[in-house]
Amino acid sequence: QIVHLADYRPTDFVLERVDLTFELDPTNTKIEARLIFHRREGVDASLPLVLDGDELKLSGLLFDQKEMSASQYDATPESLTIRDLPAESPFELTITTYINPEANTQLMGLYRTNGVYCTQCEAEGFRRITYFPDRPDVLAPYTITIIGDKAANPVMLSNGNFLGGAGYDEGRSFAAWFDPHPKPAYLFALVAGDLGVIEDTFETMSGREVALKIYVEHGKEPRAAYAMDALKRSMKWDEEHFGREYDLNIFQIVAVSDFNMGAMENKGLNVFNDKYVLADPETATDQDYANIERIIAHEYFHNWTGNRITCRDWFQLCLKEGLTVYRDQEFSSDMRSRPVKRIADVRHLKSDQFPEDGGPLAHPPRPDSYREINNFYTMTIYEKGAEITGMIATILGRDNFRKGMDLYFERHDGQAVTVEDYVKCFEDASGRDLSQFFRWYVQAGTPLVSASGAYDAAAGTFTLSLEQTTPATPGQPNKEPLHIPLSFALILDNGSIAEPTSVTGGEITGDVLHLTERSQSFTFSGVSSRPVVSLNRSFSAPVNLVFEQSLEDLVHIARHDSDLFSRWQALTDLAMPNLAQAARDARDGKDVTCDPAFVAALLECAGDASLEPAFRAQALNLPSEADIARALGGNNDPDAIHAGRKAVHEAIAKAGEEVFVRLYNEMKVEGAYSPKAGDAGKRSLRGVALSYLMYAENSPQRAAEAFAAADNMTDLAQSLTLLAHRFPDASEATAALASFLTRFDGNPLVIDKWFSIQATIPGVDALERVKALMENPRFNPGNPNRVRSLVGTFAFGNPTGFNRVDGKGYDFLADQILAIDPKNPQLAARILTSMRSWRSLEPVRAEQARLALSKIAKAAGLSTDVSDIVGRMLKD
Ligand code: ARG
Ligand code: ZN
């Protein structure tokens, strides 16, 4: 049941061509698969062909169009084994299966959502459609014929180029598609139904015209305009920055309302969770727009990093995901503010990937075994995977990185490859040895880098001593030292950057210091005065840095670093000890005090008009409760962390009331709404200012006014959140929640915000509130977006409400997991990961969490998805 990387071997049979015919029926769809195979050279002629299945029933099997005798094959729901196949010559199998899309609640394979047929085949969904060698290293061109009821399915789509379509028989029509680019089955897609469409075109760099189509529910066409714009910008950007041109004459996107993940990069036919397509100012926040831009780009970029070059096996998942996240991050950085994007990405990495890497679910970016591949679509594969590619770019420098990417595209186009193949391209293109660097892929855990500096005035030298360790993770007690690229600057008193005459102790390239030993000291000569070290600038390496810097030094960085990321990092480093101490004080019932130097530095930044508003908003957004918990390291009391953080906010609000009033007035955006980064930044700074003002004024008044005055969803959702979270019992909050509901009733994506805002109201009452909302007729337990916005948001995003000391939050989650699991195991497993940090809770809560997890573990009939997660979480 456990799959091991070491067991990899190629298939015995080579798949040459795939020809599929679907006869659509909501409950009984017929699939005829014609597959041409030949035995791989050198494979023993007695070996059978074994195809994968999942809940399938074989209804017909032909060999070169002739019946096979029953003794020649065995069919089970999980596999089809065929014997007596030719030693050399190609042969054709025709396999017939019937499936029930309507009953497919797992949302894997072919299913129906709101009357639309759609597929999700990654990772192993294709085997729920027909018997097939369902693995990413089996690539073939596909011809697809879709036959369906004419009236119900005016739109019938698949991968590749459209061949043609017409009437088929009484009441039915057909459409045929051909995808010439060999691809694995996980990239197959089919969509059919009655959908609206917006159309556009894109002229590629070589002058070919590509038809662009985005399909949405009728009436929602105008809300797809931003996605279309983002698509065209993505296509252009990939040409300019990676030399990648689109390769079919049509590119299609379909938005569906039931989807387990964000979106899927099926060749030429991306399928999206509608949440990441639909937007207009009235219903989407700035964050929604940014997410749409990012995910449209991500799936489009997969066309080269994932589709043209795919993964040899699922252990290599980060080959396509990490690289594609890196690419979408670069794209967003170019579209928006690079430092602000970096800050947001690092916040996300630290709040979600670091806890994963430091807990029971830790795994290397390239794992060496798995029980359930669906559980490996993780923050580590995606985000740490992206950081690894980012580090390669840092180590190689811009030009060599580009050369390596070019070589990768040239060398491996059309192949299914490994992470080793990928890294080799960078080695070959640059001449640099990346063998030590490769450990990042196979070693789990967040490295800890400790740093200290010593200045010798007489000699004019500065010595930076560094030490690296990586904590043990499940299955990996001992860790080797990594090659850690640390971008740095030695900042002098006047804010300029020192230019040492020479360095000893290790390699430095440009502003990057290469830490390769367990401990290593770099000595810089020709340093005229004591410098302040800005280390790991732009977060060049995903590590925990411990650097005992004085308050003055941190303030100096916060003021002077030319790297905005590091200025933000310095402010965070100033904030964290205050937040940690505040949590301890709150726990011990002491008064919370705040370091005035920290408050002054933060307010100075807030009021600095030379800094972009989005940056200032990031600085004022203090580390989250989860971040503080991580910094505290263990024995955590979420109530104390919450109370301490609130007290710190109040202290800052009081000291900075004037600044916040000014910002609140100055940052008002005039004129028509635009989702562009500049305006969005002003709205976010204004929102933070409002939040502080509410601490200073201790009244719902101002937020109620903001809610009434809001003319876009960003302002509306922001003010509603503040009202509901700070003054849940005030009539202003109740009224605003009610008016929001009335106004957006019938728009499920907006009602999801209404669910989430209420699910995250802090405090012990949250659980009862969530339970009541689940009874609301607008809640649909079968729709993943609804479940995530209510149950998921509660478990992931409400530390005080979820971590009730009586354990009722965990108990509720256990019941929910057990209720969701039989219908949608992927969704259940994903939400369950919200408990991954249970061991760092104080003992009473930790014991309650353990009991809830044990209850899940003991339940009968668990899916592999949930059983894998709960098993790993409970393992000591
Ligand atoms: N490849 C998709 C993306 O990142 C995600 C698909 C996830 N599918 C799954 N079964 N977990 O763009
Ligand atoms: Zn992806």
Side-chain angles (χ1 to χ4, degrees):
Q1 217 178 356
I2 296 180
V3 191
H4 295 276
L5 170 61
D7 293 341
Y8 173 84
R9 58 182 191 89
T11 55
D12 291 337
F13 290 82
V14 176
L15 179 63
E16 296 181 11
R17 267 181 40 204
V18 177
D19 189 333
L20 302 173
T21 303
F22 288 77
E23 287 187 51
L24 297 175
D25 181 277
T27 58
N28 196 32
T29 290
K30 178 182 178 188
I31 298 105
E32 193 182 86
R34 288 167 52 180
L35 312 175
I36 297 179
F37 288 101
H38 67 260
R39 193 178 296 268
R40 192 182 297 277
E41 220 182 288
V43 170
D44 191 312
S46 69
L47 287 177
L49 169 63
V50 183
L51 302 178
D52 304 301
D54 182 5
E55 298 184 348
L56 287 181
K57 195 172 158 293
L58 183 69
S59 295
L61 176 63
L62 303 178
F63 172 86
D64 284 344
Q65 295 302 316
K66 291 181 294 284
E67 293 289 335
M68 293 192 86
S69 87
S71 66
Q72 284 179 288
Y73 64 89
D74 292 311
T76 73
E78 284 81 41
S79 71
L80 173 59
T81 304
I82 308 173
R83 289 175 287 272
D84 306 332
L85 292 167
E88 276 170 25
S89 53
F91 56 90
E92 183 190 70
L93 297 176
T94 307
I95 300 168
T96 306
T97 50
Y98 286 85
I99 58 174
N100 182 350
E102 202 69 79
N104 185 351
T105 59
Q106 281 187 34
L107 313 184
M108 284 297 275
L110 176 65
Y111 63 96
R112 295 248 290 167
T113 152
N114 273 354
V116 176
Y117 293 91
C118 106
T119 52
Q120 170 58 34
C121 292
E122 186 178 4
E124 298 178 335
F126 194 78
R127 62 184 66 183
R128 296 169 56 75
I129 296 173
T130 187
Y131 291 104
F132 201 80
D134 189 9
R135 36 188 280 177
D137 62 344
V138 174
L139 281 69
Y142 283 55
T143 308
I144 306 294
T145 307
I146 311 169
I147 301 163
D149 184 86
K150 203 177 296 186
N153 305 291
V155 171
M156 295 197 287
L157 313 174
S158 192
N159 318 90
N161 295 320
F162 182 59
L163 289 182
Y168 182 74
D169 58 13
E170 193 62 37
R172 294 199 296 177
S173 54
F174 81 94
W177 295 82
F178 175 62
D179 181 4
H181 301 286
K183 67 164 176 298
Y186 83 87
L187 292 172
F188 167 79
L190 177 153
V191 171
D194 189 2
L195 291 164
V197 64
I198 64 164
E199 304 189 43
D200 209 324
T201 58
F202 179 80
E203 190 184 321
T204 70
M205 57 189 187
S206 72
R208 280 185 310 104
E209 186 168 289
V210 179
L212 309 179
K213 304 191 184 202
I214 302 184
Y215 292 88
V216 295
E217 276 173 25
H218 286 293
K220 295 186 174 165
E221 293 88 347
R223 290 168 66 194
Y226 184 75
M228 182 64 90
D229 175 58
L231 173 61
K232 288 190 287 181
R233 286 185 281 123
S234 306
M235 295 177 85
K236 184 110 197 103
W237 186 91
D238 211 14
E239 293 184 343
E240 288 169 355
H241 294 262
F242 284 90
R244 297 300 100 203
E245 185 175 8
Y246 188 62
D247 54 5
L248 289 166
N249 59 35
I250 181 167
F251 185 81
Q252 316 187 85
I253 290 172
V254 183
V256 300
S257 48
D258 294 80
F259 204 71
N260 271 343
M261 306 285 284
M264 180 63 211
E265 70 264 23
N266 319 296
K267 183 78 189 192
L269 178 55
N270 292 355
V271 175
F272 271 63
N273 188 324
D274 56 359
K275 173 184 161 90
Y276 296 121
V277 173
L278 302 174
D280 61 25
E282 216 198 318
T283 57
T285 60
D286 293 328
Q287 190 57 55
D288 291 328
Y289 277 96
N291 285 340
I292 290 169
E293 180 179 77
R294 166 174 70 85
I295 297 178
I296 290 276
H298 179 95
E299 307 309 334
Y300 174 72
F301 295 158
H302 266 314
N303 190 54
W304 275 95
T305 51
N307 302 1
R308 291 288 291 244
I309 305 179
T310 192
C311 301
R312 188 192 72 174
D313 51 65
W314 291 121
F315 298 102
Q316 322 295 330
L317 185 56
C318 81
L319 172 78
K320 75 175 177 81
E321 294 305 346
L323 173 54
T324 305
V325 171
Y326 172 80
R327 277 152 52 70
D328 81 52
Q329 290 176 345
E330 283 296 302
F331 169 73
S332 296
S333 298
D334 283 348
M335 296 296 128
R336 293 159 181 265
S337 156
R338 183 166 283 268
V340 171
K341 170 68 176 157
R342 187 62 186 147
I343 292 165
D345 287 340
V346 171
R347 285 188 98 122
H348 181 48
L349 184 80
K350 287 188 171 178
S351 71
D352 293 334
Q353 198 276 328
F354 279 23
E356 180 172 277
D357 228 355
L361 301 181
H363 56 274
R366 210 271 300 275
D368 48 25
S369 69
Y370 60 76
R371 253 188 86 196
E372 174 53 66
I373 188 56
N374 286 322
N375 288 339
F376 281 81
Y377 288 76
T378 60
M379 290 296 299
T380 296
I381 303 288
Y382 278 70
E383 312 301 321
K384 190 173 183 178
E387 293 301 318
I388 294 180
T389 285
M391 285 190 283
I392 295 179
T394 301
I395 291 172
L396 262 55
R398 196 192 167 90
D399 293 349
N400 276 332
F401 178 72
R402 176 66 197 266
K403 276 190 208 151
M405 285 303 309
D406 288 348
L407 180 59
Y408 178 66
F409 291 127
E410 185 194 312
R411 187 183 279 176
H412 295 298
D413 186 15
Q415 300 176 2
V417 304
T418 62
V419 168
E420 279 86 350
D421 295 324
Y422 173 67
V423 174
K424 183 85 170 49
C425 291
F426 294 108
E427 292 192 318
D428 291 352
S430 69
R432 190 180 243 285
D433 179 357
L434 293 172
S435 48
Q436 184 186 6
F437 179 80
F438 196 81
R439 289 178 188 153
W440 278 101
Y441 281 106
V442 293
Q443 208 164 270
T446 307
L448 180 73
V449 174
S450 316
S452 61
Y455 181 62
D456 182 337
T461 60
F462 178 76
T463 300
L464 182 64
S465 302
L466 300 168
E467 216 180 288
Q468 60 161 311
T469 54
T470 301
T473 54
Q476 291 190 335
N478 304 311
K479 310 283 183 174
E480 300 293 325
L482 298 165
H483 177 176
I484 302 178
L486 295 168
S487 170
F488 76 105
L490 304 180
I491 306 176
L492 300 174
D493 274 347
N494 61 4
S496 70
I497 293 179
E499 283 173 27
T501 48
S502 69
V503 196
T504 58
E507 185 189 359
I508 290 190
T509 52
D511 69 344
V512 179
L513 185 157
H514 298 259
L515 172 61
T516 54
E517 311 285 326
R518 284 189 201 277
S519 83
Q520 207 169 350
S521 290
F522 292 79
T523 299
F524 302 87
S525 305
V527 184
S528 55
S529 63
R530 188 191 74 93
V532 172
V533 189
S534 174
L535 194 57
N536 207 16
R537 293 172 108 209
S538 296
F539 212 63
S540 59
V543 300
N544 276 310
L545 182 62
V546 179
F547 194 175
E548 294 302 334
Q549 283 174 298
S550 69
L551 222 79
E552 293 71 36
D553 283 4
L554 287 172
V555 171
H556 194 69
I557 297 173
R559 267 200 195 127
H560 295 297
D561 204 315
S562 55
D563 179 45
L564 270 187
F565 174 87
S566 295
R567 294 177 70 164
W568 170 80
Q569 183 63 61
L571 288 168
T572 303
D573 291 346
L574 284 165
M576 200 50 106
N578 284 281
L579 291 161
Q581 189 52 43
R584 285 186 282 263
D585 289 345
R587 181 196 59 201
D588 302 341
K590 291 196 208 141
D591 279 349
V592 171
T593 53
C594 231
D595 190 331
F598 153 60
V599 177
L602 191 63
L603 293 175
E604 181 184 323
C605 168
D608 185 342
S610 73
L611 295 168
E612 54 185 316
F615 173 80
R616 290 186 271 161
Q618 283 288 5
L620 288 168
N621 260 318
L622 297 185
S624 70
E625 288 163 50
D627 293 331
I628 302 167
R630 208 168 34 78
L632 288 168
N635 193 19
N636 290 327
D637 173 352
D639 291 328
I641 293 173
H642 181 81
R645 185 171 181 268
K646 180 168 179 241
V648 171
H649 269 117
E650 284 165 348
I652 298 167
K654 225 181 246 151
E657 194 167 351
E658 244 174 86
V659 183
F660 295 125
V661 170
R662 204 178 69 228
L663 288 176
Y664 187 67
N665 295 326
E666 280 174 1
M667 290 300 139
K668 184 158 174 40
V669 180
E670 304 294 344
Y673 175 90
S674 152
K676 291 235 163 74
D679 281 4
K682 285 173 114 183
R683 279 186 288 271
S684 65
L685 182 52
R686 187 164 193 256
V688 196
L690 172 59
S691 158
Y692 278 98
L693 284 176
M694 288 177 76
Y695 281 118
E697 294 163 357
N698 197 24
S699 148
Q701 198 46 43
R702 204 181 273 270
E705 283 162 23
F707 182 80
D711 62 357
N712 60 75
M713 182 50 79
T714 305
D715 291 345
L716 202 64
Q718 208 165 53
S719 50
L720 181 61
T721 304
L722 289 172
L723 276 172
H725 287 198
R726 301 285 177 75
F727 297 92
D729 302 320
S731 61
E732 287 88 344
T734 329
L737 282 165
S739 101
F740 189 94
L741 178 62
T742 314
R743 180 161 163 201
F744 297 105
D745 210 3
N747 188 335
L749 291 178
V750 186
I751 299 305
D752 283 348
K753 300 184 195 300
W754 185 79
F755 282 132
S756 293
I757 289 171
Q758 296 178 81
T760 46
I761 297 176
V764 73
D765 299 336
L767 177 59
E768 292 316 312
R769 207 173 279 123
V770 169
K771 283 185 178 167
L773 287 168
M774 289 185 71
E775 300 302 317
N776 189 298
R778 294 158 192 91
F779 182 74
N780 168 5
N783 177 285
N785 285 355
R786 297 306 89 74
V787 175
R788 278 187 289 256
S789 57
L790 188 51
V791 183
T793 308
F794 172 62
F796 278 104
N798 191 341
T800 53
F802 179 56
N803 296 289
R804 273 168 60 143
V805 70
D806 61 9
K808 291 218 165 89
Y810 311 137
D811 230 41
F812 164 80
L813 190 76
D815 291 343
Q816 290 308 311
I817 298 304
L818 294 176
I820 300 166
D821 192 38
K823 286 183 279 175
N824 190 335
Q826 259 185 63
L827 179 64
R830 177 58 55 121
I831 292 180
L832 179 56
T833 64
S834 58
M835 288 183 71
R836 66 188 165 208
S837 299
W838 69 275
R839 279 180 213 273
S840 52
L841 293 162
E842 51 78 23
V844 176
R845 285 179 175 84
E847 178 56 13
Q848 298 284 9
R850 199 187 57 76
L851 289 173
L853 288 169
S854 309
K855 174 171 156 185
I856 298 174
K858 282 194 212 109
L862 284 187
S863 67
T864 353
D865 306 59
V866 167
S867 135
D868 171 43
I869 296 285
V870 78
R872 282 193 276 151
M873 287 210 288
L874 282 172
K875 202 165 167 214
D876 346 80

